Amino acid sequence: MPDLGSERRGVLGEAVLLAAGLADVLVDGLGGVVARGRAVLGRSDVAELADQGHREVLARGRVVLGRFAVEPAYLEIVARHVGARGDRAGG
């Protein structure tokens, strides 16, 4: 697998978080979102609300992905430590 630049990984990671957060919002209740949307239309600080909404969706995405995250296997962690120790000893 080619190594993606950190900037691209950040953009892809944010896209995944946004998708997961939006899915959680939809599952949580589309009716509530519609009611909030109607309330937003009459407000003057729509840009600030959109920014807050973006941050909230990202946070929800982190929570959703955190629920399903798989931690690295124990042997994988041990292998990384041994590999790092080997690099220091050989260097």
Short mmCIF file of all heavy atoms in Angstrom, two decimals, residues 33-81:
data_model
loop_
_atom_site.label_atom_id
_atom_site.label_comp_id
_atom_site.label_asym_id
_atom_site.label_seq_id
_atom_site.Cartn_x
_atom_site.Cartn_y
_atom_site.Cartn_z
N VAL A 33 -33.37 16.64 13.56
CA VAL A 33 -32.55 17.44 12.65
C VAL A 33 -33.42 18.39 11.84
O VAL A 33 -33.08 19.55 11.65
CB VAL A 33 -31.72 16.51 11.72
CG1 VAL A 33 -30.99 17.32 10.66
CG2 VAL A 33 -30.73 15.69 12.52
N VAL A 34 -34.56 17.90 11.38
CA VAL A 34 -35.48 18.75 10.61
C VAL A 34 -35.99 19.89 11.48
O VAL A 34 -36.06 21.05 11.05
CB VAL A 34 -36.64 17.91 10.04
CG1 VAL A 34 -37.72 18.79 9.44
CG2 VAL A 34 -36.12 16.93 9.01
N ALA A 35 -36.33 19.58 12.72
CA ALA A 35 -36.82 20.63 13.63
C ALA A 35 -35.74 21.68 13.88
O ALA A 35 -36.01 22.88 13.88
CB ALA A 35 -37.27 20.00 14.95
N ARG A 36 -34.49 21.21 14.07
CA ARG A 36 -33.39 22.17 14.27
C ARG A 36 -33.16 23.00 13.01
O ARG A 36 -32.86 24.18 13.08
CB ARG A 36 -32.10 21.42 14.61
CG ARG A 36 -32.04 20.96 16.03
CD ARG A 36 -30.65 20.45 16.34
NE ARG A 36 -30.77 19.13 16.93
CZ ARG A 36 -29.84 18.22 16.98
NH1 ARG A 36 -28.66 18.47 16.46
NH2 ARG A 36 -30.03 17.06 17.53
N GLY A 37 -33.29 22.36 11.85
CA GLY A 37 -33.10 23.08 10.59
C GLY A 37 -34.10 24.20 10.40
O GLY A 37 -33.76 25.28 9.95
N ARG A 38 -35.33 23.94 10.77
CA ARG A 38 -36.36 24.98 10.68
C ARG A 38 -36.05 26.14 11.63
O ARG A 38 -36.26 27.30 11.30
CB ARG A 38 -37.73 24.40 11.01
CG ARG A 38 -38.26 23.52 9.92
CD ARG A 38 -39.64 23.03 10.24
NE ARG A 38 -40.11 22.12 9.20
CZ ARG A 38 -41.05 21.24 9.36
NH1 ARG A 38 -41.65 21.12 10.53
NH2 ARG A 38 -41.42 20.46 8.38
N ALA A 39 -35.56 25.83 12.79
CA ALA A 39 -35.22 26.88 13.76
C ALA A 39 -34.03 27.71 13.26
O ALA A 39 -33.96 28.91 13.50
CB ALA A 39 -34.89 26.26 15.11
N VAL A 40 -33.11 27.07 12.55
CA VAL A 40 -31.91 27.76 12.05
C VAL A 40 -32.26 28.78 10.98
O VAL A 40 -31.64 29.84 10.89
CB VAL A 40 -30.90 26.73 11.49
CG1 VAL A 40 -29.82 27.39 10.67
CG2 VAL A 40 -30.29 25.92 12.62
N LEU A 41 -33.26 28.49 10.17
CA LEU A 41 -33.60 29.38 9.06
C LEU A 41 -33.95 30.79 9.53
O LEU A 41 -33.73 31.75 8.80
CB LEU A 41 -34.76 28.79 8.25
CG LEU A 41 -34.42 27.53 7.46
CD1 LEU A 41 -35.67 27.00 6.77
CD2 LEU A 41 -33.32 27.79 6.46
N GLY A 42 -34.46 30.92 10.72
CA GLY A 42 -34.84 32.24 11.22
C GLY A 42 -33.74 32.95 11.97
O GLY A 42 -33.95 34.05 12.47
N ARG A 43 -32.54 32.39 12.05
CA ARG A 43 -31.46 32.99 12.83
C ARG A 43 -30.49 33.75 11.95
O ARG A 43 -30.34 33.46 10.78
CB ARG A 43 -30.72 31.91 13.59
CG ARG A 43 -31.63 31.18 14.58
CD ARG A 43 -30.89 30.21 15.38
NE ARG A 43 -29.87 30.88 16.20
CZ ARG A 43 -29.48 30.46 17.36
NH1 ARG A 43 -30.01 29.39 17.88
NH2 ARG A 43 -28.55 31.09 18.04
N SER A 44 -29.81 34.73 12.55
CA SER A 44 -28.85 35.53 11.79
C SER A 44 -27.42 34.98 11.88
O SER A 44 -26.57 35.37 11.09
CB SER A 44 -28.86 36.98 12.30
OG SER A 44 -28.48 37.01 13.67
N ASP A 45 -27.16 34.08 12.83
CA ASP A 45 -25.81 33.55 12.99
C ASP A 45 -25.68 32.15 12.38
O ASP A 45 -25.11 31.25 12.97
CB ASP A 45 -25.42 33.54 14.47
CG ASP A 45 -26.39 32.74 15.32
OD1 ASP A 45 -27.48 32.40 14.82
OD2 ASP A 45 -26.06 32.46 16.48
N VAL A 46 -26.17 32.02 11.15
CA VAL A 46 -26.20 30.72 10.48
C VAL A 46 -24.78 30.20 10.26
O VAL A 46 -24.53 29.00 10.43
CB VAL A 46 -26.97 30.81 9.15
CG1 VAL A 46 -26.88 29.52 8.37
CG2 VAL A 46 -28.42 31.18 9.41
N ALA A 47 -23.82 31.06 9.91
CA ALA A 47 -22.45 30.61 9.65
C ALA A 47 -21.83 30.01 10.92
O ALA A 47 -21.18 28.96 10.86
CB ALA A 47 -21.60 31.76 9.14
N GLU A 48 -22.05 30.67 12.04
CA GLU A 48 -21.52 30.15 13.31
C GLU A 48 -22.18 28.82 13.67
O GLU A 48 -21.52 27.89 14.13
CB GLU A 48 -21.74 31.17 14.43
CG GLU A 48 -21.16 30.74 15.75
CD GLU A 48 -21.41 31.76 16.85
OE1 GLU A 48 -21.60 32.94 16.54
OE2 GLU A 48 -21.42 31.34 18.02
N LEU A 49 -23.49 28.74 13.45
CA LEU A 49 -24.19 27.49 13.72
C LEU A 49 -23.70 26.36 12.82
O LEU A 49 -23.56 25.22 13.26
CB LEU A 49 -25.69 27.67 13.55
CG LEU A 49 -26.39 28.45 14.65
CD1 LEU A 49 -27.85 28.69 14.28
CD2 LEU A 49 -26.29 27.70 15.96
N ALA A 50 -23.42 26.68 11.56
CA ALA A 50 -22.90 25.67 10.64
C ALA A 50 -21.54 25.17 11.11
O ALA A 50 -21.25 23.97 11.06
CB ALA A 50 -22.80 26.24 9.23
N ASP A 51 -20.69 26.09 11.59
CA ASP A 51 -19.38 25.71 12.11
C ASP A 51 -19.52 24.82 13.35
O ASP A 51 -18.84 23.81 13.48
CB ASP A 51 -18.56 26.96 12.43
CG ASP A 51 -17.13 26.63 12.79
OD1 ASP A 51 -16.51 25.80 12.08
OD2 ASP A 51 -16.62 27.20 13.78
N GLN A 52 -20.42 25.19 14.23
CA GLN A 52 -20.67 24.37 15.42
C GLN A 52 -21.20 22.99 15.03
O GLN A 52 -20.83 21.98 15.61
CB GLN A 52 -21.66 25.06 16.35
CG GLN A 52 -21.10 26.24 17.08
CD GLN A 52 -22.17 26.96 17.91
OE1 GLN A 52 -23.36 26.63 17.84
NE2 GLN A 52 -21.75 27.95 18.69
N GLY A 53 -22.07 22.97 14.04
CA GLY A 53 -22.61 21.70 13.56
C GLY A 53 -21.53 20.81 12.98
O GLY A 53 -21.51 19.60 13.21
N HIS A 54 -20.61 21.42 12.24
CA HIS A 54 -19.49 20.67 11.66
C HIS A 54 -18.65 20.05 12.76
O HIS A 54 -18.30 18.87 12.70
CB HIS A 54 -18.65 21.62 10.80
CG HIS A 54 -17.49 20.97 10.14
ND1 HIS A 54 -16.21 21.09 10.62
CD2 HIS A 54 -17.41 20.18 9.04
CE1 HIS A 54 -15.39 20.41 9.85
NE2 HIS A 54 -16.08 19.85 8.88
N ARG A 55 -18.35 20.83 13.79
CA ARG A 55 -17.55 20.31 14.91
C ARG A 55 -18.30 19.20 15.65
O ARG A 55 -17.72 18.20 16.06
CB ARG A 55 -17.17 21.44 15.87
CG ARG A 55 -16.10 22.36 15.30
CD ARG A 55 -15.52 23.28 16.37
NE ARG A 55 -16.54 24.03 17.09
CZ ARG A 55 -16.94 25.25 16.79
NH1 ARG A 55 -16.39 25.90 15.79
NH2 ARG A 55 -17.85 25.86 17.52
N GLU A 56 -19.61 19.38 15.81
CA GLU A 56 -20.41 18.36 16.50
C GLU A 56 -20.44 17.05 15.72
O GLU A 56 -20.30 15.97 16.28
CB GLU A 56 -21.84 18.85 16.72
CG GLU A 56 -22.69 17.84 17.44
CD GLU A 56 -24.12 18.32 17.67
OE1 GLU A 56 -24.38 19.54 17.62
OE2 GLU A 56 -24.97 17.45 17.89
N VAL A 57 -20.58 17.16 14.40
CA VAL A 57 -20.61 15.95 13.57
C VAL A 57 -19.25 15.24 13.62
O VAL A 57 -19.19 14.01 13.70
CB VAL A 57 -21.02 16.30 12.12
CG1 VAL A 57 -20.78 15.14 11.18
CG2 VAL A 57 -22.48 16.72 12.08
N LEU A 58 -18.16 16.00 13.60
CA LEU A 58 -16.83 15.39 13.73
C LEU A 58 -16.69 14.67 15.07
O LEU A 58 -16.18 13.54 15.13
CB LEU A 58 -15.73 16.44 13.60
CG LEU A 58 -15.43 16.95 12.20
CD1 LEU A 58 -14.39 18.07 12.27
CD2 LEU A 58 -14.94 15.84 11.30
N ALA A 59 -17.15 15.31 16.12
CA ALA A 59 -17.06 14.70 17.45
C ALA A 59 -17.90 13.42 17.51
O ALA A 59 -17.46 12.40 18.06
CB ALA A 59 -17.52 15.68 18.52
N ARG A 60 -19.08 13.46 16.94
CA ARG A 60 -19.92 12.26 16.92
C ARG A 60 -19.27 11.16 16.11
O ARG A 60 -19.36 9.98 16.46
CB ARG A 60 -21.29 12.60 16.37
CG ARG A 60 -22.11 13.47 17.30
CD ARG A 60 -23.44 13.79 16.69
NE ARG A 60 -24.34 12.66 16.84
CZ ARG A 60 -25.55 12.74 17.38
NH1 ARG A 60 -25.99 13.90 17.81
NH2 ARG A 60 -26.29 11.68 17.48
N GLY A 61 -18.60 11.54 15.03
CA GLY A 61 -17.89 10.55 14.22
C GLY A 61 -16.78 9.88 15.02
O GLY A 61 -16.59 8.66 14.93
N ARG A 62 -16.06 10.67 15.81
CA ARG A 62 -15.01 10.10 16.66
C ARG A 62 -15.60 9.10 17.66
O ARG A 62 -15.04 8.04 17.91
CB ARG A 62 -14.27 11.20 17.40
CG ARG A 62 -13.31 11.96 16.55
CD ARG A 62 -12.48 12.96 17.37
NE ARG A 62 -11.74 13.81 16.46
CZ ARG A 62 -12.12 15.01 16.08
NH1 ARG A 62 -13.23 15.55 16.54
NH2 ARG A 62 -11.38 15.71 15.23
N VAL A 63 -16.73 9.46 18.23
CA VAL A 63 -17.38 8.58 19.21
C VAL A 63 -17.82 7.28 18.54
O VAL A 63 -17.58 6.19 19.06
CB VAL A 63 -18.58 9.29 19.87
CG1 VAL A 63 -19.42 8.32 20.69
CG2 VAL A 63 -18.09 10.43 20.75
N VAL A 64 -18.45 7.40 17.37
CA VAL A 64 -18.93 6.21 16.67
C VAL A 64 -17.77 5.30 16.30
O VAL A 64 -17.81 4.09 16.52
CB VAL A 64 -19.72 6.61 15.40
CG1 VAL A 64 -19.98 5.40 14.52
CG2 VAL A 64 -21.03 7.27 15.80
N LEU A 65 -16.70 5.88 15.73
CA LEU A 65 -15.56 5.06 15.34
C LEU A 65 -14.86 4.49 16.57
O LEU A 65 -14.31 3.40 16.52
CB LEU A 65 -14.59 5.87 14.49
CG LEU A 65 -15.11 6.25 13.11
CD1 LEU A 65 -14.06 7.06 12.35
CD2 LEU A 65 -15.51 5.03 12.31
N GLY A 66 -14.89 5.22 17.67
CA GLY A 66 -14.30 4.71 18.90
C GLY A 66 -15.02 3.48 19.42
O GLY A 66 -14.41 2.60 20.03
N ARG A 67 -16.31 3.41 19.18
CA ARG A 67 -17.09 2.24 19.60
C ARG A 67 -16.66 0.98 18.87
O ARG A 67 -16.72 -0.11 19.41
CB ARG A 67 -18.57 2.46 19.32
CG ARG A 67 -19.25 3.38 20.26
CD ARG A 67 -20.75 3.40 19.98
NE ARG A 67 -21.24 4.74 20.18
CZ ARG A 67 -22.24 5.29 19.52
NH1 ARG A 67 -22.86 4.60 18.59
NH2 ARG A 67 -22.62 6.51 19.77
N PHE A 68 -16.26 1.14 17.62
CA PHE A 68 -15.95 -0.02 16.78
C PHE A 68 -14.47 -0.19 16.52
O PHE A 68 -14.07 -1.06 15.74
CB PHE A 68 -16.70 0.09 15.45
CG PHE A 68 -18.18 0.17 15.63
CD1 PHE A 68 -18.85 1.37 15.44
CD2 PHE A 68 -18.91 -0.94 16.01
CE1 PHE A 68 -20.22 1.45 15.62
CE2 PHE A 68 -20.28 -0.86 16.20
CZ PHE A 68 -20.93 0.33 16.00
N ALA A 69 -13.64 0.63 17.15
CA ALA A 69 -12.20 0.56 16.91
C ALA A 69 -11.64 -0.74 17.45
O ALA A 69 -12.02 -1.20 18.53
CB ALA A 69 -11.49 1.74 17.57
N VAL A 70 -10.73 -1.30 16.70
CA VAL A 70 -10.07 -2.54 17.11
C VAL A 70 -8.65 -2.17 17.52
O VAL A 70 -7.91 -1.58 16.73
CB VAL A 70 -10.05 -3.56 15.96
CG1 VAL A 70 -9.30 -4.81 16.36
CG2 VAL A 70 -11.46 -3.88 15.52
N GLU A 71 -8.31 -2.49 18.73
CA GLU A 71 -6.96 -2.19 19.19
C GLU A 71 -5.99 -3.19 18.60
O GLU A 71 -6.36 -4.33 18.30
CB GLU A 71 -6.91 -2.23 20.71
CG GLU A 71 -7.76 -1.13 21.33
CD GLU A 71 -7.55 -1.03 22.81
OE1 GLU A 71 -6.51 -1.45 23.31
OE2 GLU A 71 -8.46 -0.52 23.47
N PRO A 72 -4.72 -2.79 18.42
CA PRO A 72 -3.74 -3.72 17.86
C PRO A 72 -3.57 -4.95 18.75
O PRO A 72 -3.69 -4.86 19.97
CB PRO A 72 -2.45 -2.92 17.81
CG PRO A 72 -2.76 -1.55 18.23
CD PRO A 72 -4.16 -1.50 18.73
N ALA A 73 -3.32 -6.06 18.12
CA ALA A 73 -3.14 -7.31 18.86
C ALA A 73 -1.88 -7.23 19.72
O ALA A 73 -0.93 -6.52 19.39
CB ALA A 73 -3.04 -8.48 17.87
N TYR A 74 -1.89 -7.97 20.80
CA TYR A 74 -0.78 -7.95 21.75
C TYR A 74 0.54 -8.30 21.07
O TYR A 74 1.55 -7.64 21.27
CB TYR A 74 -1.06 -8.92 22.90
CG TYR A 74 0.10 -9.08 23.84
CD1 TYR A 74 0.41 -8.07 24.74
CD2 TYR A 74 0.90 -10.21 23.81
CE1 TYR A 74 1.49 -8.19 25.59
CE2 TYR A 74 1.98 -10.35 24.66
CZ TYR A 74 2.27 -9.33 25.56
OH TYR A 74 3.34 -9.46 26.39
N LEU A 75 0.54 -9.35 20.24
CA LEU A 75 1.78 -9.77 19.59
C LEU A 75 2.28 -8.71 18.61
O LEU A 75 3.49 -8.56 18.43
CB LEU A 75 1.58 -11.11 18.88
CG LEU A 75 1.39 -12.31 19.81
CD1 LEU A 75 1.16 -13.57 19.00
CD2 LEU A 75 2.58 -12.48 20.73
N GLU A 76 1.38 -7.97 18.00
CA GLU A 76 1.80 -6.90 17.11
C GLU A 76 2.52 -5.81 17.89
O GLU A 76 3.55 -5.28 17.46
CB GLU A 76 0.59 -6.32 16.38
CG GLU A 76 0.95 -5.22 15.40
CD GLU A 76 -0.26 -4.66 14.69
OE1 GLU A 76 -1.35 -5.25 14.76
OE2 GLU A 76 -0.11 -3.61 14.06
N ILE A 77 2.01 -5.48 19.06
CA ILE A 77 2.65 -4.47 19.91
C ILE A 77 4.04 -4.95 20.34
O ILE A 77 5.01 -4.20 20.29
CB ILE A 77 1.77 -4.16 21.14
CG1 ILE A 77 0.47 -3.50 20.68
CG2 ILE A 77 2.51 -3.29 22.14
CD1 ILE A 77 -0.56 -3.37 21.78
N VAL A 78 4.14 -6.21 20.76
CA VAL A 78 5.43 -6.78 21.16
C VAL A 78 6.41 -6.74 19.99
O VAL A 78 7.58 -6.38 20.15
CB VAL A 78 5.26 -8.22 21.70
CG1 VAL A 78 6.61 -8.89 21.92
CG2 VAL A 78 4.44 -8.20 22.99
N ALA A 79 5.95 -7.11 18.81
CA ALA A 79 6.82 -7.10 17.63
C ALA A 79 7.33 -5.70 17.33
O ALA A 79 8.50 -5.52 16.96
CB ALA A 79 6.08 -7.68 16.43
N ARG A 80 6.50 -4.70 17.50
CA ARG A 80 6.94 -3.31 17.27
C ARG A 80 8.02 -2.92 18.27
O ARG A 80 9.01 -2.28 17.91
CB ARG A 80 5.75 -2.36 17.38
CG ARG A 80 4.81 -2.45 16.22
CD ARG A 80 3.67 -1.49 16.39
NE ARG A 80 2.68 -1.66 15.34
CZ ARG A 80 1.53 -1.05 15.33
NH1 ARG A 80 1.20 -0.21 16.29
NH2 ARG A 80 0.68 -1.26 14.35
N HIS A 81 7.85 -3.30 19.53
CA HIS A 81 8.85 -2.98 20.55
C HIS A 81 10.17 -3.68 20.25
O HIS A 81 11.24 -3.09 20.36
CB HIS A 81 8.36 -3.38 21.95
CG HIS A 81 7.32 -2.45 22.50
ND1 HIS A 81 7.59 -1.16 22.88
CD2 HIS A 81 5.99 -2.63 22.72
CE1 HIS A 81 6.49 -0.59 23.31
NE2 HIS A 81 5.50 -1.46 23.21
#
